[in-house]
Amino acid sequence: MTEKSVTLNDIAKRLNYSTVTISKALRNHPDISPQTTKLIKSVAEEMGYTPNIMARNLSARRSNTIGVVVPKIAHFFFSAIIESIYDYAFNHNYEIILTVSQENAEREKRHIQTLLAMKVDGIIVSISQETKNYEIFETVRRRGVPLVFMDRIPAIENINTVQVNDREGAFKAIEHAIKLGYRNIAHFAGYSDINIGRERYYGFKDAMDQYNIPIKPEWVVAGEFGENHGYDGLMELHRQNNLPDLIFTVTYPVALGVYMAARELNLKIPDDIDVICFGNAKVQNFLSPPLSCVDQPTNLLASESMEILLENINSADGFEPRNIQIPTELILRGTCRKFNKE
Amino acid sequence: MTEKSVTLNDIAKRLNYSTVTISKALRNHPDISPQTTKLIKSVAEEMGYTPNIMARNLSARRSNTIGVVVPKIAHFFFSAIIESIYDYAFNHNYEIILTVSQENAEREKRHIQTLLAMKVDGIIVSISQETKNYEIFETVRRRGVPLVFMDRIPAIENINTVQVNDREGAFKAIEHAIKLGYRNIAHFAGYSDINIGRERYYGFKDAMDQYNIPIKPEWVVAGEFGENHGYDGLMELHRQNNLPDLIFTVTYPVALGVYMAARELNLKIPDDIDVICFGNAKVQNFLSPPLSCVDQPTNLLASESMEILLENINSADGFEPRNIQIPTELILRGTCRKFNKE
DNA sequence: CTGAAAGCGCTAACAT
DNA sequence: ATGTTAGCGCTTTCAG
């Protein structure tokens, strides 16, 4: 019934060759004559041979596998990125081991340990919203495993990073809003431990400062990156009877949370309260109203990360860490557009 | 610099034990005395030992790893399912190797071969929209690797399946529409080779038949599961000047495509043309208008699949294939609700 | 309670 | 062009 999988040895015996010859032939090693190679391949095929990747990796001391750690996947931003990563990996003959931290630092750490134990050739990580201890990344470095941080980046030196220009992106959004006439602007921000929380806030602040608009502390509310933050945030401001005219949210899910709360409170977007967010999702076009945002090119984030990682993997030694910044673009839709206010 | 990772042997030498003792101690084998175990563990910890999973698996002939093949991930349905699968796996100490076929049968096959080569303990697959050749699944069976099909299921015998009650779900949606007074109903369907295409169509047909409404062949248009199908479909019907009053789409992305086309054509949803779809995504609540749908409980689909798979893996032999059907629920929002028509 | 021997399936280095 | 030897790091008998 359960047929035992055929090994190099099985083929060797059948053909009266050594396993080495078989192994080489199957990998097109020039040692082996074309005819023999052909013969061996056809027999392998016929016998239904599949290499045992565990064994191969163990022996070859490289796995052709890349580990990925992301905080979430059921959000457009990450699922789009992951899809691109898979694509890139497929085209370059790499396997991906994807792990999900669920925004939990402990879990993130365990995942990275597992990836190390699996002897992945390199790791791409987007840190969780609560990651504050960076020891594990030191461990990775000491092990000599190439590492690229993408989008969510810890504050440590000498690392590969691929990110969007968060500060500039946020600045553009707020500047646009100000030019539209907005003054009462709130920011539902991320925590400042994490780059995207910090930088997007700075971008917001840059713009407000530049146009001499005072920032109301109660209107800068730091929190997580999910719907809850947006929902709770708006609910709270409403309870305080302290609503701004516009809310700039640190991520798209936070904006969705604002939409939820607004519906519940019977606030009309964008008339009663307007929204603009960082991060783009195809569906935002079809929200009611369509949501304006700062676009982050997910495919570029993914491909740049992979590219740098593979370079690092394939550069014997002394690879200089690279830091890539990808420009953002402001996409205007139903919210935060002048004509809505006319 | 690049520090070599520490092995059982390293610990053994340091402690003057054999590797076997170390190995056993680390796995809490009763052979080893509690004190020795404790000592060994602390030293292992101190030396920064990480097991080499490749080696462990090779030797233990099981990987504690499950392979997953899905057609897409940047769609809410799949990303939600995958997240649940990861969760379940994490709690049961399994690793997941996720692969994405991109709706491509060739790629799907290669992924499954890779998973076999990686010696995964079991596989969950949701087949691509174009998979017609089922040989590879036979191969999996012959290898004795437990296999569960989820949501998208091929027409073969004696397999584990976990799916939603597609026919009933579609029926409920159409029946509801009919009771609302709709007669001119189109169905943007999937291809009939695949269960979800076929069954959802049957559900549609059941309802139309039961209420004696003739089905217009031009209004049943089969296609893929992505946005394009919906977009092209509506465009084409519009070109033919042959618009229905309601479109029932086989998936949520297809409905999105309809939204896109409708916007372009200046058709108002739900007044000019109404939409209801199979498959739920949180964001549908915030579309304009909110989209009614047949809900598929993604977490149940995921957990049932994992549960059956693990059972199958752990049942020595003679496991009877199981077939799970999960009931659906009709969720009414902005579209396909009577009050819109009043 | 501890360890020696053997082997998982494969590949790299070195013969022949 | 082909094979021999050795070993990747771990676990599973089986002896002591």
Side-chain angles (χ1 to χ4, degrees), chain A residues 210-223:
Chain A
Q210 178 163 330
Y211 289 88
N212 276 314
I213 305 172
I215 295 177
K216 240 187 169 172
E218 322 91 81
W219 281 353
V220 176
V221 5

Side-chain angles (χ1 to χ4, degrees), chain B residues 183-236:
Chain B
R183 289 297 173 271
N184 299 316
I185 305 178
H187 178 31
F188 286 3
Y191 296 117
S192 59
D193 308 287
I194 195 168
N195 64 317
I196 64 171
R198 195 174 50 245
E199 297 297 314
R200 289 172 196 180
Y201 166 70
Y202 283 143
F204 163 78
K205 187 170 173 338
D206 288 348
M208 296 294 269
D209 288 354
Q210 177 163 331
Y211 288 89
N212 276 311
I213 304 173
I215 295 177
K216 239 187 169 171
E218 320 91 81
W219 281 352
V220 177
V221 4
E224 313 203 323
F225 295 122
E227 280 99 357
N228 287 347
H229 179 25
Y231 180 86
D232 297 344
L234 182 54
M235 282 303 192
E236 175 61 17

Side-chain angles (χ1 to χ4, degrees), chain B residues 261-268 272:
Chain B
R263 166 159 311 171
E264 216 169 296
L265 295 170
N266 251 310
L267 294 173
K268 283 208 59 172
D272 298 331

Side-chain angles (χ1 to χ4, degrees), chain A residues 117-171:
Chain A
M118 292 180 109
K119 304 292 165 191
V120 295
D121 292 344
I123 301 180
I124 294 179
V125 17
S126 205
I127 66 176
S128 90
Q129 70 194 1
E130 58 174 40
T131 304
K132 289 184 180 116
N133 183 327
Y134 304 143
E135 248 176 72
I136 183 69
F137 304 126
E138 269 312 318
T139 307
V140 174
R141 189 208 302 272
R142 274 203 310 278
R143 285 273 204 295
V145 176
L147 179 59
V148 173
F149 291 96
M150 191 208 61
D151 188 56
R152 302 220 204 149
I153 298 172
I156 40 183
E157 297 293 310
N158 269 309
I159 51 176
N160 293 306
T161 60
V162 175
Q163 65 192 124
V164 124
N165 193 329
D166 291 287
R167 189 162 183 167
E168 180 199 75
F171 179 86

Side-chain angles (χ1 to χ4, degrees), chain A residues 204-276:
Chain A
F204 162 78
K205 186 168 172 340
D206 288 347
M208 297 292 270
D209 288 354
Q210 178 163 330
Y211 289 88
N212 276 314
I213 305 172
I215 295 177
K216 240 187 169 172
E218 322 91 81
W219 281 353
V220 176
V221 5
E224 313 203 324
F225 295 121
E227 280 99 358
N228 287 347
H229 179 28
Y231 181 87
D232 296 344
L234 182 54
M235 283 303 194
E236 175 61 18
L237 290 186
H238 180 263
R239 209 185 47 71
Q240 298 174 5
N241 214 335
N242 186 18
L243 289 183
D245 295 327
L246 170 72
I247 302 176
F248 167 56
T249 69
V250 65
T251 65
Y252 156 65
V254 174
L256 255 193
V258 171
Y259 272 60
M260 296 181 192
R263 167 160 309 172
E264 218 170 294
L265 296 170
N266 251 310
L267 293 173
K268 283 208 59 172
I269 302 175
D271 304 318
D272 297 331
I273 191 150
D274 202 355
V275 184
I276 186 169

Side-chain angles (χ1 to χ4, degrees), chain B residues 10-281:
Chain B
D10 299 333
I11 308 180
K13 274 193 236 153
R14 164 100 102 87
L15 255 43
N16 251 314
Y17 273 118
S18 75
T19 49
V20 182
T21 305
I22 310 291
S23 167
K24 284 179 175 166
L26 256 23
R27 283 173 300 144
N28 297 313
H29 197 295
D31 267 6
I32 312 298
S33 79
Q35 309 133 58
T36 329
T37 298
K38 200 162 156 229
L39 168 67
I40 291 181
K41 282 196 171 178
S42 79
V43 172
E45 170 78 54
E46 177 206 325
M47 295 177 72
Y49 171 76
T50 348
N52 181 325
I53 294 192
M54 300 287 172
R56 170 179 293 181
N57 292 346
L58 181 60
S59 147
R61 272 179 238 36
R62 95 176 328 245
S63 62
N64 255 264
T65 295
I66 285 171
V68 176
V69 188
V70 293
K72 270 257 156 220
I73 85 180
H75 280 326
F76 187 80
F77 177 70
F78 286 110
S79 60
I81 284 197
I82 293 165
E83 197 153 288
S84 296
I85 288 182
Y86 271 96
D87 237 58
Y88 195 103
F90 185 81
N91 292 328
H92 291 73
N93 267 304
Y94 271 84
E95 289 303 317
I96 295 289
I97 310 275
L98 174 67
T99 63
V100 188
S101 68
Q102 301 282 22
E103 300 283 14
N104 175 321
E106 196 45 49
R107 212 154 147 167
E108 181 173 271
K109 183 173 161 196
R110 275 180 56 188
H111 283 320
I112 293 177
Q113 282 165 337
T114 306
L115 293 175
L116 288 178
M118 292 180 109
K119 303 292 165 192
V120 295
D121 292 345
I123 300 180
I124 294 180
V125 16
S126 204
I127 66 176
S128 90
Q129 69 194 2
E130 56 173 41
T131 304
K132 289 184 180 115
N133 183 326
Y134 304 144
E135 248 175 72
I136 183 70
F137 304 127
E138 269 313 318
T139 307
V140 175
R141 190 208 303 271
R142 276 203 311 277
R143 285 273 203 297
V145 176
L147 179 60
V148 173
F149 290 96
M150 190 208 61
D151 187 55
R152 303 222 204 147
I153 297 172
I156 40 182
E157 298 291 310
N158 269 310
I159 51 176
N160 293 307
T161 61
V162 175
Q163 65 193 123
V164 126
N165 193 329
D166 291 287
R167 189 164 184 163
E168 181 199 77
F171 179 87
K172 284 196 287 199
I174 302 300
E175 181 176 50
H176 171 78
I178 292 173
K179 287 188 170 160
L180 246 42
Y182 280 112
R183 289 297 173 271
N184 299 316
I185 305 178
H187 178 31
F188 286 3
Y191 296 117
S192 59
D193 308 287
I194 195 168
N195 64 317
I196 64 171
R198 195 174 50 245
E199 297 297 314
R200 289 172 196 180
Y201 166 70
Y202 283 143
F204 163 78
K205 187 170 173 338
D206 288 348
M208 296 294 269
D209 288 354
Q210 177 163 331
Y211 288 89
N212 276 311
I213 304 173
I215 295 177
K216 239 187 169 171
E218 320 91 81
W219 281 352
V220 177
V221 4
E224 313 203 323
F225 295 122
E227 280 99 357
N228 287 347
H229 179 25
Y231 180 86
D232 297 344
L234 182 54
M235 282 303 192
E236 175 61 17
L237 289 185
H238 180 262
R239 210 185 48 73
Q240 296 173 6
N241 214 335
N242 187 18
L243 289 183
D245 294 329
L246 170 71
I247 302 175
F248 167 56
T249 70
V250 65
T251 65
Y252 155 66
V254 174
L256 255 195
V258 170
Y259 272 60
M260 295 181 194
R263 166 159 311 171
E264 216 169 296
L265 295 170
N266 251 310
L267 294 173
K268 283 208 59 172
I269 302 174
D271 304 317
D272 298 331
I273 191 151
D274 202 356
V275 184
I276 187 168
C277 75
F278 208 107
N280 189 13

